[in-house]
Amino acid sequence: MFTFDLQHTDPASSARAGLIQTDHGPIETPIFMPVGTAGTVKGVHQYELKNDIGAQIILGNTYHLYLRPGMEVMAKAGGLHGFNGWQGPILTDSGGYQVYSLSDRRKITEEGVTFRSHIDGSKHTFSPERSMEIQRVIGADIIMAFDECPPFPCDYKYAKDSMDLTHRWLARCCEYVDNTEGHYGHGQTLFPIVQGSTYDDLRRASAEAIASFDRAGNAIGGLSVGEPAEEMYRVTDMVCAILPKDKPRYLMGVGTPVNLLECIALGIDMFDCVLPTRNARHGMLYTAEGIINIKNAKWKDDFSPVDPDSSCPSSRFYTRGYLRHLIHSGELLGAQIASLHNLAFFLWLVGEARKHIIAGDFASWKNDMVPRLERRL
Amino acid sequence: MFTFDLQHTDPASSARAGLIQTDHGPIETPIFMPVGTAGTVKGVHQYELKNDIGAQIILGNTYHLYLRPGMEVMAKAGGLHGFNGWQGPILTDSGGYQVYSLSDRRKITEEGVTFRSHIDGSKHTFSPERSMEIQRVIGADIIMAFDECPPFPCDYKYAKDSMDLTHRWLARCCEYVDNTEGHYGHGQTLFPIVQGSTYDDLRRASAEAIASFDRAGNAIGGLSVGEPAEEMYRVTDMVCAILPKDKPRYLMGVGTPVNLLECIALGIDMFDCVLPTRNARHGMLYTAEGIINIKNAKWKDDFSPVDPDSSCPSSRFYTRGYLRHLIHSGELLGAQIASLHNLAFFLWLVGEARKHIIAGDFASWKNDMVPRLERRL
C-alpha cells in the first residue's frame, strides 16, 4: 500500500502539504528523513527518533547494509525493520551513490557496476536487478531506482550518456519490481530518479522520461553534489514543473535548513541529508534563530539551554556551556545531544513549513525565516 | 548533611545494607557509582542514568574537570550539578590518581604534586589544600582526600613512605575542609583513603590511622591496580575488619561483577569503575547468565533481545545481532546501547545484593551467582 494525498498548495509558491500512507504508517509532507546509513541514525536511539525528534520515516543505505551486516543476516532479521527495531516507514537508496563515492576501482557497464568494498576490498556487482533484490531483502517501504549519479562538474556528453543509462536501468528496475514481491508482506514502492546534471535540456528530458514511467513517486538525484545553490534551485524548479503534481517529489541528499525551505517552495515534498547529524558531531547546531558553532569560546560559560524553544527534551535539558565542553572534549554525549538537537530542528522546520502551507502563508513565513536561519549566532 | 544508617548485616558474611543521606538525595548501599570522567558518563544521558539505569550517585574526576572545562567555568555553572544537570549525589576523586596515571613529568614533594596536562602540556600543582578547594568548586557531595596511589608492584619502603605522606596529606585535607565551607549551600563530606599497597602491616597501620581521623566515611585506595584478585580480597578483608562498622566503606576503582559481590561479602558498601562503560565500548556485555563478547560471530543472527531480563529498556528493545552489527561497524549507537546495558546490570547486581542482604540469604545467593557471572556465553 502506498498512497499520496495532496492536501494543500501554497497560493504564493509551489509548496505543497500532503499525506503519504505506507504499510508502516503515514508520512506528513513536506518531510525530512534522518539518514540511518548503516541501519542506525548515528548517535540516536530508535525510540528517540520517534519520541524526541518526531521522525516519520528514516533512510537506510543499501551499499552499507549490503556489505555489513550483509543480506543473509538482513533476511533472517526480517529486513531492516526487524533488524534495527524502527517500526515506521523506511526508504532505501539504491546503493549506486555510495558505489560512486566510497568504493574502490568501480567499473560501470551496461549491465551494472562492479566495485570493491571500502571495508575489506572484496569485489561485488550491483545491477538494476540486484539493487532491487537487495532492497527487497532490506524491506524498505520506498525503494529507489538504481541510477548513475554523475559528478559535478560533468561534461555534457558524459551527463547525457549517464542519463540515458539511468533511464535504461530504470526500465529494468521497474521490470524487476513489477514481477516480484516483497519478502515480508508489506508493500514496497519504487521511486525513479531524474538525472541530467545541470544541463537544462537533459534535466527536462529526464524529468519527462521519468514522469512517463508513471510510478507512485519521483525523485531528483544528482544535485547537492557541489553545484552552487542557485543551480540546484533552478534545476529543481524546472524539474518540479514537469513531474506530476499528484505524486510526491523527493530531492535526494538536500540539504541545509535554507535549502529545505527554498526547495519546499519549489514543490519538493521529501528530503534526506547527513548534514544535521554530521555537522552535529562537529558542533554545528541549527536553530530558528540561526547557526551556533558550539565550539566557539563565547558559549563556554553560557548556561542557558542548548535551545530553549526546541521540541527536543535534550536541547532544553542541557546547557550550551556543557555541550561545548562535551564537543570540545570529544565526548560521545556531545555528538548525541547535538544530533538529537539538529534532527529535531529539521523535523520541526518541515513541520512548521507544513503548518504554514496549510494556513496559506508559507511564502511570507519562508521569506522571514531564511535570513534568520542563515545568521551566525 | 551526610548520614549513614547501617540497616542490615548478612548473618553468613560481612555484607551490609545501608542508607546514605546527602543533600542531593539518598543512596542505598551497597551501591555502584557510574564514572563520569569529564562530567559525563560516556555515551549516556543524565536522564537515562536516572530513569533507565537506576543510578543513585555518579562520579566526577577532579583532574579531568580541573583541566577541562576548568574551575572558572565550573564555578559559574554552580558546580558539576549545575554544569551537567545531574541532580543526584556526586562523588569526586581527589585528582591524584589521574595525575599519577595520565599526566607527564609529575614531581611529588611534601607540598604536593607538580605535573603537566596530558591535553596541552601546561604545568599545574595539586596539593591537599588545592585538591580540596577544586572539589569545593566542583561541589560534589562526597569528596576524596588527596593521596598518593603507589603502583603495583611497589617496594616496601616506597609503599611505607607513600602511605606516611598520604596520612600527612590527609591531616591537611581535614584541616582545609573543616575550616572552609562549600560554595553552593549543600554539604560536602570528606572520605579519607587507606593505602599501604599489598603489605599487611602497612594496610593495618593505614586502616587504623584512617579510622582515627573519624570522618563520616572511609575509602580503600591502591587496589585493582594490577594485583591478583585474591590479594585484593585479602587486603580488603583485613582493612574492613579495622574500619568502623557504622560508616560507609568505599573500595575505589573496583571492579568486575564478581569483584563487587566478593567485596560486598567483605563489608564494602560503595564501588566505582570504568569497566562497565569501557568494556561496553569494546562489545563486552555483563549479564546475570554470564559474559557476552558481542563481537563473536555466534551473535550475528541472534535476534533475541540483548538481555531479555535487563532492567534497562534499551537492552530489551534491541537485539544481539543488531548490537553486534553496531559494535562491529564502530557505530556510536553500539557504545550507547552497550554502556546503558552494562551500567544497568551493575546497578541491578548491587540492588539484588542489597535485597539478599536484607532477606538474610546474601552469602548463598552470592555463591550461586559468582560462577554464573564468570561464564562466557
Side-chain angles (χ1 to χ4, degrees):
Chain A
M1 191 264 281
F2 183 96
T3 61
F4 178 65
D5 177 22
L6 183 60
Q7 300 172 310
H8 289 268
T9 305
D10 184 53
S13 75
S14 298
R16 309 120 56 84
L19 182 67
I20 294 171
Q21 292 282 1
T22 75
D23 286 334
H24 283 96
I27 305 158
E28 293 182 326
T29 64
I31 191 70
F32 178 82
M33 306 182 280
V35 179
T37 309
T40 160
V41 177
K42 290 186 194 305
V44 180
H45 284 283
Q46 268 61 301
Y47 38 82
E48 290 175 324
L49 283 169
K50 187 175 171 213
N51 302 330
D52 297 347
I53 288 172
Q56 299 183 47
I57 172 171
I58 64 170
L59 238 79
N61 281 125
T62 288
Y63 171 85
H64 288 281
L65 294 169
Y66 164 80
L67 291 178
R68 203 164 51 188
M71 289 304 102
E72 197 185 331
V73 168
M74 192 56 73
K76 281 190 190 166
L80 187 53
H81 289 98
F83 189 59
N84 76 4
W86 167 260
Q87 290 308 312
I90 295 176
L91 181 150
T92 40
D93 64 6
S94 69
Y97 185 81
Q98 272 81 24
V99 167
Y100 308 124
S101 60
L102 289 180
S103 73
D104 289 332
R105 284 183 281 176
R106 62 191 172 276
K107 194 182 160 205
I108 304 174
T109 66
E110 183 67 29
E111 173 55 24
V113 186
T114 302
F115 62 95
R116 288 190 182 272
S117 159
H118 74 290
I119 300 171
D120 63 5
S122 55
K123 196 174 167 184
H124 304 270
T125 302
F126 279 178
S127 63
E129 294 80 10
R130 186 90 185 99
S131 171
M132 293 305 102
E133 182 49 33
I134 294 168
Q135 293 185 78
R136 285 280 192 220
V137 175
I138 299 172
D141 300 270
I142 302 173
I143 64 180
M144 300 304 299
F146 188 70
D147 61 344
E148 194 199 345
C149 182
F152 176 85
C154 162
D155 68 49
Y156 185 86
K157 176 161 169 32
Y158 190 97
K160 179 168 189 322
D161 290 348
S162 168
M163 179 194 79
D164 289 337
L165 180 66
T166 286
H167 295 169
R168 291 194 299 276
W169 281 357
L170 174 58
R172 288 166 57 188
C173 290
C174 293
E175 172 79 10
Y176 190 92
V177 168
D178 292 344
N179 290 287
T180 57
E181 290 197 344
H183 299 325
Y184 314 112
H186 63 263
Q188 294 190 278
T189 301
L190 174 68
F191 278 24
I193 304 171
V194 174
Q195 289 289 353
S197 189
T198 48
Y199 300 104
D200 290 13
D201 63 327
L202 297 184
R203 282 288 178 180
R204 267 192 218 102
S206 186
E208 280 159 12
I210 265 43
S212 75
F213 277 85
D214 196 25
R215 308 302 298 192
N218 298 294
I220 308 173
L223 291 176
S224 200
V225 291
E227 80 284 358
E230 292 313 317
E231 281 288 278
M232 175 172 74
Y233 299 149
R234 189 177 54 77
V235 170
T236 299
D237 191 22
M238 194 169 55
V239 170
C240 282
I242 298 169
L243 291 178
K245 284 191 165 35
D246 60 343
K247 293 171 181 178
R249 300 167 184 148
Y250 163 30
L251 181 57
M252 303 180 76
V254 174
T256 65
V258 170
N259 292 159
L260 263 56
L261 295 194
E262 295 294 1
C263 293
I264 287 171
L266 300 174
I268 295 294
D269 307 297
M270 303 166 69
F271 301 89
D272 79 285
C273 195
V274 295
L275 186 137
T277 40
R278 180 176 294 164
N279 284 357
R281 296 195 295 277
H282 296 111
M284 183 177 280
L285 307 178
Y286 298 93
T287 80
E289 302 306 318
I291 297 166
I292 292 175
N293 181 350
I294 202 72
K295 286 184 165 179
N296 286 348
K298 66 184 288 193
W299 308 114
K300 192 170 64 170
D301 52 7
D302 181 334
F303 298 113
S304 62
V306 171
D307 183 354
D309 300 320
S310 176
S311 56
C312 185
S314 165
S315 302
R316 299 192 305 270
F317 181 87
Y318 298 106
T319 67
R320 291 173 179 183
Y322 182 57
L323 180 54
R324 177 184 188 271
H325 164 71
L326 295 175
I327 295 280
H328 213 63
S329 306
E331 286 287 344
L332 293 178
L333 188 61
Q336 295 171 235
I337 296 169
S339 298
L340 284 169
H341 171 79
N342 278 352
L343 288 174
F345 177 71
F346 274 55
L347 267 295
W348 173 84
L349 188 67
V350 295
E352 285 298 296
R354 180 179 158 84
K355 284 183 197 164
H356 286 283
I357 294 166
I358 292 171
D361 65 351
F362 171 79
S364 64
W365 172 78
K366 192 232 5 162
N367 291 337
D368 271 0
M369 283 300 289
V370 165
R372 286 168 61 192
L373 293 170
E374 284 174 331
R375 277 198 304 233
R376 297 276 168 166
L377 298 181
Chain B
M1 191 264 283
F2 183 97
T3 62
F4 177 66
D5 177 21
L6 183 60
Q7 300 172 309
H8 289 269
T9 305
D10 184 51
S13 75
S14 298
R16 310 121 54 85
L19 182 68
I20 294 171
Q21 292 282 1
T22 76
D23 286 334
H24 282 96
I27 306 158
E28 293 182 326
T29 64
I31 192 69
F32 178 82
M33 306 182 279
V35 179
T37 308
T40 160
V41 178
K42 290 187 195 303
V44 180
H45 284 284
Q46 268 62 299
Y47 39 83
E48 289 174 324
L49 284 169
K50 187 174 172 215
N51 302 328
D52 298 346
I53 289 172
Q56 298 183 47
I57 172 171
I58 64 171
L59 238 79
N61 281 125
T62 288
Y63 171 85
H64 288 281
L65 293 169
Y66 164 79
L67 291 178
R68 202 164 51 188
M71 290 304 103
E72 196 185 332
V73 168
M74 191 57 71
K76 281 190 189 165
L80 187 52
H81 289 98
F83 188 58
N84 74 5
W86 168 259
Q87 290 308 310
I90 295 176
L91 181 150
T92 40
D93 63 7
S94 68
Y97 184 81
Q98 271 81 23
V99 167
Y100 308 123
S101 60
L102 288 181
S103 72
D104 290 331
R105 284 181 281 178
R106 60 192 172 277
K107 194 181 160 203
I108 304 174
T109 67
E110 185 66 29
E111 174 54 23
V113 186
T114 302
F115 62 95
R116 287 187 183 273
S117 159
H118 74 289
I119 300 171
D120 63 5
S122 55
K123 195 174 169 184
H124 304 270
T125 302
F126 279 177
S127 64
E129 295 79 11
R130 186 89 185 99
S131 171
M132 293 305 103
E133 182 49 33
I134 294 168
Q135 292 185 78
R136 285 280 192 222
V137 175
I138 299 173
D141 300 86
I142 302 173
I143 64 180
M144 299 304 300
F146 189 69
D147 61 344
E148 194 198 346
C149 182
F152 176 85
C154 162
D155 68 50
Y156 185 88
K157 177 164 170 28
Y158 190 98
K160 180 171 189 323
D161 290 349
S162 169
M163 179 195 77
D164 289 337
L165 181 66
T166 286
H167 295 168
R168 291 194 300 276
W169 281 357
L170 173 58
R172 288 164 58 189
C173 289
C174 292
E175 172 79 12
Y176 191 94
V177 167
D178 293 343
N179 291 287
T180 57
E181 291 197 344
H183 299 324
Y184 314 112
H186 62 264
Q188 294 189 281
T189 301
L190 174 68
F191 279 23
I193 303 172
V194 175
Q195 288 290 354
S197 189
T198 49
Y199 300 104
D200 290 13
D201 64 325
L202 297 184
R203 281 288 177 179
R204 267 192 219 104
S206 186
E208 280 159 12
I210 266 41
S212 76
F213 277 86
D214 196 25
R215 307 303 297 193
N218 297 295
I220 308 173
L223 291 177
S224 200
V225 291
E227 79 286 357
E230 291 314 316
E231 281 288 278
M232 175 172 74
Y233 299 150
R234 189 177 54 79
V235 170
T236 299
D237 191 23
M238 194 168 57
V239 171
C240 281
I242 297 168
L243 292 178
K245 282 191 165 35
D246 60 343
K247 291 170 181 177
R249 300 167 182 148
Y250 163 30
L251 181 56
M252 303 181 77
V254 175
T256 66
V258 170
N259 292 159
L260 263 56
L261 294 194
E262 294 295 0
C263 294
I264 287 171
L266 300 173
I268 295 294
D269 307 297
M270 303 166 70
F271 301 89
D272 80 285
C273 195
V274 295
L275 186 137
T277 39
R278 181 176 293 165
N279 284 357
R281 296 195 295 277
H282 296 110
M284 183 178 280
L285 307 179
Y286 298 94
T287 80
E289 303 305 319
I291 298 167
I292 291 175
N293 181 348
I294 202 72
K295 284 184 168 178
N296 287 347
K298 65 184 289 192
W299 308 114
K300 193 171 62 171
D301 52 6
D302 181 333
F303 298 114
S304 62
V306 171
D307 185 352
D309 302 320
S310 176
S311 56
C312 185
S314 165
S315 302
R316 300 192 306 270
F317 181 86
Y318 297 106
T319 67
R320 292 172 179 182
Y322 182 57
L323 180 54
R324 177 183 188 271
H325 164 71
L326 296 175
I327 296 281
H328 213 64
S329 306
E331 285 287 344
L332 293 178
L333 188 60
Q336 294 172 236
I337 296 168
S339 298
L340 285 168
H341 171 79
N342 278 351
L343 289 174
F345 177 72
F346 274 56
L347 267 296
W348 172 85
L349 188 67
V350 295
E352 285 299 295
R354 180 178 158 84
K355 283 183 198 165
H356 286 283
I357 294 165
I358 292 170
D361 65 351
F362 171 79
S364 64
W365 172 78
K366 192 233 4 162
N367 290 338
D368 272 359
M369 282 301 288
V370 164
R372 286 168 60 190
L373 294 170
E374 284 174 332
R375 275 199 303 233
R376 296 275 167 166
L377 299 182

